[in-house]
Amino acid sequence: MTVSDNKNKDVYNPSKGILDKANIRGYEKLYQQSIKNPEAFWAGIAKELNWYKPWKKVLEWKYPFAKWFVDGKTNIVANAVDRHLTTFRRNKIAIIWEGENNETKTLSYYALNREVSKFANVLKAAGIKKGDRVTIYMPRIPEQVIAMLATAKIGAIHSVVYGGFSVEALHARIIDSASKVVITADGGYMNNKIVQLKSITDEAVKRSPSVETVIVVKRIGHDINMESGRDYWYHDLMNLPIASPKCETEVMDAEDPLYILYTSGTTGAPKGVVHTIGGYMTYIYATMKYVFDIKEEDRWWCTADPGWVTGHSYIVYAPLMLGTTSIMYEGSPTYPYPDRWWSIVEKYGVNVLYTTPTGIRSLMRFGELWVNRRDLSSLRLLGTVGEPINPEAWRWYYRVIGKEKCPIMDTWWQTETGGFMITPLPETPLRPGSAAKPFFGIVADVVDEKGRPVSPNMEGSLIIKKPWPGMLRTIYRDPERYKKVYWEKIPGNVYTTGDSAKKDEDGYIWIIGRQDDVIKVSGYRLGTAEIESALVSHPAVAEAAAIGKPHEIKGTAIKVFVVLRTGFSASDDLMDELRSHVAKELGPIAKPEEIQFVDSLPKTRSGKIMRRLLKARELGMPEGDISTLEE
Ligand code: WT7
């Protein structure tokens, strides 16, 4: 990704209107205060939220394990739902949902509370208790959010698995979390096709002994397999007398887990990132309030899926905690036409839009006419996340969508960080392609492999030097891996992000991309090892190596090198078959863009595949140090 643009000093300043109304101003001074005394800063934010019992200590840091708001008692649902019920927000719209086929559903905070409470009682009746794990594998429908909130309300732990994942990915996540209940749907609509969520669930659950109950939302209404004694329709359960709309919200410790969210790492096994309640809720509340400058009357739309951390934090929890009206769209951005997103902005009068560089690039290619036939004048602020945004896409987003009046918040963060870490504020002079500066309380730097800060504009590793409330607490059931992956890669007891970046002379941070064996395809995070292990599970494949390669729309696309087993020969048919095989194992997002059949893979003398070398050769770049190459 090119970052040479920082040399041009191409700067975009916010209008007076944006500045005058901003929820916060004076970053430089406030930032200094926040890092000088982070505990006072975070306690100030946490006091804006409801606690059943106050904390005794803001932070207890025993490297690399943090506890925030020690001994505080709360529940995120008490803040996202319950507390609005005694104010005018009781009748405010919490969620506006639009289905791919134009259906609309709205839920006021009052109605949301009823649904959540009813389903919480259903989960209790299914034997779910505080601390139990619940897997949610659903399309983007309101029941997905209701299921998350109901789980959190009774103190259980949700593990949401993105509805675009396939059998193996779902299975691995159910097994690792040992979930008792899986909540799914009979299918989902995506780009006018039906995603067969229930048959994938059946395959995965068959080999998951922990699962006692599967709850199925009827979204499509087609014939599916329902296993008696295990599978129940959501609507049937919600009509039983046990599904009372009254349910006490469980009093939780600030450090009780809220959810597990699996993400790709450098080995084949996904990592269960654990977030706890008190620090996480405080962190996402503050970031959303200040970065997206949320006003009482705003309509907020985050185009992500609740199955990713972006959706957890900024579709479900933070918008609801702020009492915002949050929009949720089920389907594809191009169905039935490439103006679908813009039609939603127009239809609901969206004020703040948060999306991805891939989303922008993929709609850019349809041209401006599709945008200009829609009224986007309600927009005030824009946002992007998930991968570096190239300056060309940034400028298009700014000019064509924002009509040169909406600042773009390029927010850098990770599943592990809970919320935005490097980000502009509405007042920040923007430089296309830079995520600007660290959020309040965040101490970030760009360093070399020994942990020494690199000079301005030099590439290095992005690290975080101090704990923050939204940080992951551990990897589920694997604290050793947590320590090794995040805290021991770079000396100095710092958190390693796995990203490389540059910092310019003004302190603006420019994210370059992943340094490890993680590939960001359309903003989705995939491990090379996951893709490779999906490939070698095919009978024709002996060995495989995956690399990321620049792609005009996806940012990065997957290319794989495959060594065939004897008896198999390379052909176009086999290539297609392998691509479908990966899609079937992991999900369509993991489908390789390119497959190249090779006789052997470059390896180190210890037998490790040198992906770095494959990538350098593929891109025509210098090969670097190849002294450990076997031949
Ligand atoms: C990785 C984390 C955090 C929500 C979605 C992704 C990349 C994220 C940006 C950005 C450049 C970005 C990084 C990061 N990334 N935001 N604004 N600019 N790169 O969460 O799946 O955990 O991925 O996404 O490489 O490490 P995730």
Side-chain angles (χ1 to χ4, degrees):
M1 196 61 47
T2 161
V3 292
S4 59
D5 267 74
N6 53 351
K7 306 246 163 27
N8 301 340
K9 288 273 159 27
D10 177 7
V11 178
Y12 294 74
N13 287 300
S15 66
K16 186 165 180 305
I18 295 279
L19 283 176
D20 287 349
K21 292 208 193 93
N23 286 349
I24 202 148
R25 292 197 45 193
Y27 169 82
E28 296 298 342
K29 191 167 154 225
L30 286 170
Y31 174 74
Q32 290 306 330
Q33 285 170 359
S34 77
I35 60 168
K36 218 163 130 199
N37 194 347
E39 296 183 31
F41 177 81
W42 291 116
I45 303 279
K47 280 186 190 140
E48 293 180 26
L49 299 169
N50 286 12
W51 296 78
Y52 298 115
K53 200 182 126 218
W55 54 90
K56 291 207 180 94
K57 207 169 158 206
V58 179
L59 169 66
E60 192 182 289
W61 176 231
K62 289 191 185 130
Y63 164 84
F65 297 98
K67 286 186 178 161
W68 285 87
F69 306 108
V70 182
D71 276 345
K73 306 284 178 215
T74 185
N75 189 309
I76 198 164
V77 177
N79 284 291
V81 183
D82 304 358
R83 75 168 180 162
H84 304 311
L85 301 174
T86 53
T87 73
F88 72 94
R89 285 185 188 147
R90 168 190 172 95
N91 299 320
K92 184 175 171 179
I93 301 179
I95 293 169
I96 301 178
W97 173 81
E98 167 139 325
E100 199 179 70
N101 303 318
N102 293 315
E103 312 104 295
T104 298
K105 265 190 207 162
T106 56
L107 285 163
S108 64
Y109 279 91
Y110 177 81
L112 181 63
N113 177 57
R114 272 181 67 87
E115 297 304 311
V116 169
S117 299
K118 289 178 68 166
F119 195 59
N121 282 321
V122 167
L123 288 175
K124 279 187 181 172
I128 295 298
K129 294 179 304 291
K130 186 170 173 167
D132 286 346
R133 278 80 55 210
V134 172
T135 292
I136 300 176
Y137 177 62
M138 294 176 83
R140 266 196 307 265
I141 53 176
E143 288 83 352
Q144 188 186 22
V145 178
I146 292 164
M148 290 168 75
L149 292 166
T151 306
K153 186 177 174 77
I154 62 172
I157 302 169
H158 55 69
S159 161
V160 184
V161 179
Y162 172 58
F165 274 134
S166 253
V167 178
E168 288 315 313
L170 175 62
H171 178 248
R173 286 155 175 77
I174 296 175
I175 290 289
D176 190 76
S177 62
S179 292
K180 264 196 201 167
V181 168
V182 176
I183 307 163
T184 186
D186 62 346
Y189 289 109
M190 185 46 74
N191 216 3
N192 203 24
K193 286 196 207 75
I194 294 171
V195 187
Q196 300 290 346
L197 296 169
K198 181 58 166 64
S199 55
I200 295 173
T201 303
D202 287 344
E203 280 294 304
V205 166
K206 204 162 64 186
R207 293 177 280 132
S208 306
S210 64
V211 178
E212 293 163 8
T213 308
V214 175
I215 301 176
V216 187
V217 175
K218 189 177 258 177
R219 169 67 189 125
I220 309 286
H222 61 166
D223 267 351
I224 51 159
N225 163 56
M226 290 291 278
E227 197 168 304
S228 99
R230 186 196 73 184
D231 300 353
Y232 299 87
W233 287 107
Y234 179 93
H235 59 268
D236 286 343
L237 298 174
M238 292 288 267
N239 277 328
L240 295 174
I242 47 133
S244 142
K246 289 212 162 38
C247 177
E248 284 294 315
T249 301
E250 192 77 29
V251 175
M252 302 298 287
D253 190 87
E255 280 300 332
D256 280 333
L258 172 62
Y259 64 77
I260 306 169
L261 184 53
Y262 288 89
T263 189
S264 299
T266 49
T267 71
K271 296 181 288 198
V273 167
V274 176
H275 283 290
T276 57
I277 300 166
Y280 173 79
M281 75 178 192
T282 306
Y283 194 71
I284 60 171
Y285 170 83
T287 48
M288 176 134 180
K289 176 173 171 179
Y290 293 138
V291 176
F292 283 110
D293 214 27
I294 296 300
K295 314 293 180 204
E296 191 64 67
E297 62 277 17
D298 273 346
R299 283 189 165 182
W300 156 260
W301 183 22
C302 166
T303 66
D305 190 287
W308 306 110
V309 75
T310 312
H312 281 60
S313 298
Y314 300 107
I315 293 178
V316 183
Y317 291 114
L320 296 176
M321 284 167 68
L322 281 151
T324 313
T325 297
S326 186
I327 287 151
M328 198 174 157
Y329 167 55
E330 175 184 41
S332 153
T334 50
Y335 184 79
Y337 300 113
D339 65 343
R340 186 60 185 272
W341 276 7
W342 320 126
S343 80
I344 292 172
V345 170
E346 177 182 70
K347 180 170 174 187
Y348 300 111
V350 173
N351 305 104
V352 189
L353 172 68
Y354 188 35
T355 188
T356 61
T358 291
I360 298 159
R361 285 190 296 259
S362 65
L363 293 173
M364 233 170 109
R365 75 192 151 128
F366 294 101
E368 295 176 28
L369 281 177
W370 286 107
V371 185
N372 293 340
R373 59 190 287 245
R374 299 293 179 179
D375 176 6
L376 305 185
S377 59
S378 57
L379 290 172
R380 184 182 79 242
L381 268 179
L382 300 171
T384 144
V385 62
E387 41 175 334
I389 182 162
N390 48 312
E392 192 198 351
W394 195 101
R395 290 195 192 94
W396 189 86
Y397 195 29
Y398 187 76
R399 180 176 60 80
V400 179
I401 305 306
K403 316 292 180 203
E404 303 185 331
K405 65 177 177 65
C406 306
I408 299 175
M409 302 296 109
D410 179 354
T411 59
W412 177 90
W413 58 297
Q414 309 178 297
T415 304
E416 292 87 343
T417 72
F420 316 146
M421 298 289 281
I422 314 284
T423 176
L425 295 173
E427 67 169 1
T428 308
L430 301 170
R431 301 181 183 180
S434 170
K437 299 193 178 180
F439 188 70
F440 301 118
I442 300 302
V443 186
D445 207 350
V446 179
V447 300
D448 65 14
E449 70 284 355
K450 297 225 164 70
R452 296 171 302 211
V454 299
S455 325
N457 298 314
M458 295 298 287
E459 185 170 340
S461 304
L462 179 67
I463 55 150
I464 311 295
K465 294 164 94 167
K466 291 273 165 64
W468 67 101
M471 67 188 267
L472 81 164
R473 297 301 192 265
T474 190
I475 291 177
Y476 190 60
R477 293 187 312 147
D478 203 349
E480 272 311 307
R481 191 173 174 199
Y482 162 77
K483 211 168 150 183
K484 234 173 89 194
V485 171
Y486 300 108
W487 297 94
E488 290 180 346
K489 292 236 165 96
I490 293 174
N493 295 0
V494 297
Y495 171 86
T496 306
T497 66
D499 277 9
S500 64
K502 297 183 186 185
K503 191 157 86 173
D504 67 20
E505 37 298 271
D506 303 315
Y508 277 63
I509 293 172
W510 302 74
I511 308 293
I512 296 167
R514 299 292 307 190
Q515 289 176 319
D516 50 13
D517 290 328
V518 166
I519 309 181
K520 280 281 185 154
V521 183
S522 303
Y524 298 116
R525 180 162 160 183
L526 292 161
T528 50
E530 287 172 292
I531 303 161
E532 291 158 7
S533 78
L535 279 162
V536 297
S537 73
H538 188 281
V541 178
E543 286 180 283
I547 61 164
K549 197 179 158 177
H551 185 278
E552 211 187 324
I553 288 165
K554 301 176 178 175
T556 310
I558 302 167
K559 166 149 191 181
V560 295
F561 297 86
V562 169
V563 180
L564 291 175
R565 284 178 190 277
T566 40
F568 291 90
S569 49
S571 69
D572 287 351
D573 283 348
L574 183 57
M575 210 180 274
D576 288 344
E577 193 180 315
L578 292 180
R579 295 177 72 234
S580 312
H581 178 73
V582 176
K584 189 173 163 275
E585 294 279 304
L586 286 177
I589 49 173
K591 208 177 200 175
E593 186 82 12
E594 266 182 68
I595 296 185
Q596 187 177 332
F597 295 110
V598 292
D599 293 333
S600 66
L601 295 169
K603 291 198 189 120
T604 63
R605 274 183 281 271
S606 58
K608 273 168 80 181
I609 298 171
M610 288 182 86
R611 295 184 193 82
R612 179 175 58 76
L613 181 61
L614 283 168
K615 191 167 173 173
R617 287 181 181 164
E618 180 70 25
L619 305 181
M621 299 200 327
E623 292 190 350
D625 177 15
I626 51 166
S627 57
T628 59
L629 189 65
E630 190 183 23
E631 65 218 54

